Amino acid sequence: MSDLLSELRDACEWVATRALHVRIQADEIPAYAAGLPRDAPPAAPDPDAHLLSGTREQLAAFWLTLNAVNFGSGWFPTLQKREGRSGYFTIATGIRGRFLTNGPWGARQLAAMRAAEIAQVLGQAPDHELMELFARSLGDVGGHIEEDHGGSFEALVDSAGGSAPTLVERLTGWESFADVSSYDGVNVPFLKRAQLAAADLSRAGVAIDLGGLDRLTMFADNLLPHVLRLDGILRFEPALVDRIERGKLIEHGSPEEVEIRACALHAVELIAAQRPGSRAADLDQLLWLRGQEPRYKASPRHRSRCTAY
């Protein structure tokens, strides 16, 4: 059991009991949990955005590289998106294209990454603020892979000894995957991208026997809280809803933003408790797919400019 993941669950429950801007509608959860499909097929990787074949090393490199830059949703409205693609899929498609055309970046190449290079790969302006953040995150990943794992991405995966929580804690120690907020003096280690990286590596077959996936939580971002709000499981105070619908940024680390993420995560834990055998990470995937439907796309979600999501 991961101490950090236990700390995360406890902290989110603690935040939910004190939240002033977001409330969990606990009475609605039993019916909501019962109404969610149990036999929904797992989300298949997108063949146009994800690398589906290659050596284990190449696949490990792809998923770790992608997760290193799987953030920036607060800037997505300012990106030059590929036709019919969201911000995430624009980024993923660009990374995949680089892997197919020129092969993976090696650890040393990532360590030397510059904003202009990643901008060119992603089809973005080199002076866009997000490109510098992407380059910094990729550089950190490359440095750790080179110095700690002999330049091998799969060696990092194997260093976790088949434990998803251990892999999460390894990644959490890197600046590129850091994701800890504070609420009224209490640390909330959301660890969104570190957890998602572990799940992605398992789903991609890079870490086939990765145990402890049931210990992962929801991957706290800005889509699942949006889905849960529109589905009536979360209630935001009217002033917060108004700011979101007017497209106002919600400051990362502010009480409102921490409450949004923490209450969503705790709500998913409550939903999972109503469904024996359900894993929070699987519910995350189910609700993420629901969030791609037109009803959810038509309404604004909260935006925060940060490297967490």
Side-chain angles (χ1 to χ4, degrees):
M1 180 181 295
S2 166
D3 289 339
L4 272 178
L5 293 174
S6 296
E7 180 184 339
L8 170 56
R9 284 180 163 88
D10 291 344
C12 287
E13 181 178 9
W14 184 85
V15 171
T17 63
R18 291 159 175 77
L20 300 176
H21 309 281
V22 181
R23 294 289 185 184
I24 298 173
Q25 304 303 296
D27 291 346
E28 303 294 330
I29 285 180
Y32 186 73
L36 293 174
R38 285 190 173 273
D39 56 355
D46 187 319
D48 295 324
H50 299 137
L51 193 69
L52 303 184
S53 61
T55 66
R56 184 169 180 259
E57 174 68 13
Q58 289 168 338
L59 290 171
F62 174 79
W63 288 106
L64 287 165
T65 299
L66 177 57
N67 275 289
V69 294
N70 186 7
F71 63 85
S73 56
W75 286 274
F76 283 0
T78 70
L79 290 183
Q80 299 178 36
K81 298 185 184 67
R82 294 173 184 258
E83 185 175 357
R85 288 302 208 176
S86 66
Y88 165 76
F89 281 110
T90 293
I91 293 165
T93 301
I95 298 293
R96 174 184 178 272
R98 152 70 202 212
F99 272 60
L100 292 178
T101 303
N102 300 106
W105 284 288
R108 290 184 182 179
Q109 291 174 302
L110 285 182
M113 182 63 65
R114 294 294 180 265
E117 180 179 356
I118 189 62
Q120 183 177 26
V121 167
L122 301 180
Q124 305 299 320
D127 60 350
H128 192 292
E129 183 179 6
L130 196 52
M131 299 305 108
E132 180 60 39
L133 294 174
F134 281 174
R136 189 181 308 166
S137 183
L138 291 169
D140 183 66
V141 167
H144 280 287
I145 295 293
E146 179 67 22
E147 295 172 15
D148 303 338
H149 302 283
S152 170
F153 291 86
E154 61 182 324
L156 162 68
V157 178
D158 294 340
S159 75
S163 166
T166 299
L167 181 56
V168 170
E169 293 202 2
R170 290 238 194 290
L171 293 174
T172 298
W174 300 1
E175 179 184 353
S176 47
F177 284 94
D179 180 14
V180 179
S181 293
S182 178
Y183 185 88
D184 200 17
V186 172
N187 284 339
V188 187
F190 285 111
L191 317 179
K192 185 262 182 181
R193 289 188 296 111
Q195 293 194 72
L196 183 55
D200 281 345
L201 288 163
S202 176
R203 294 166 185 164
V206 178
I208 298 174
D209 298 321
L210 201 61
L213 292 168
D214 59 322
R215 292 292 305 140
L216 302 183
T217 70
M218 179 199 104
F219 312 133
D221 60 4
N222 67 339
L223 179 56
L224 263 65
H226 177 64
V227 171
L228 292 171
R229 179 173 74 86
L230 293 189
D231 285 355
I233 299 303
L234 296 182
R235 179 174 296 171
F236 293 8
E237 65 170 351
L240 179 56
V241 173
D242 179 66
R243 288 170 62 194
I244 292 170
E245 291 184 343
R246 288 190 294 116
K248 299 294 184 181
L249 292 172
I250 308 300
E251 184 181 357
H252 178 57
S254 66
E256 296 93 330
E257 192 255 0
V258 176
E259 288 180 16
I260 289 171
R261 298 178 78 194
C263 288
L265 191 150
H266 186 56
V268 169
E269 292 294 314
L270 296 175
I271 293 167
Q274 294 285 326
R275 295 161 57 93
S278 290
R279 301 186 302 190
D282 294 334
L283 289 171
D284 178 284
Q285 190 173 64
L286 189 157
L287 294 171
W288 189 89
L289 287 172
R290 175 174 285 196
Q292 309 310 306
E293 297 173 7
R295 175 195 171 204
Y296 303 96
K297 291 285 190 181
S299 179
R301 71 188 78 165
H302 89 270
R303 299 278 180 182
S304 298
R305 290 190 171 176
C306 62
T307 61
Y309 56 92

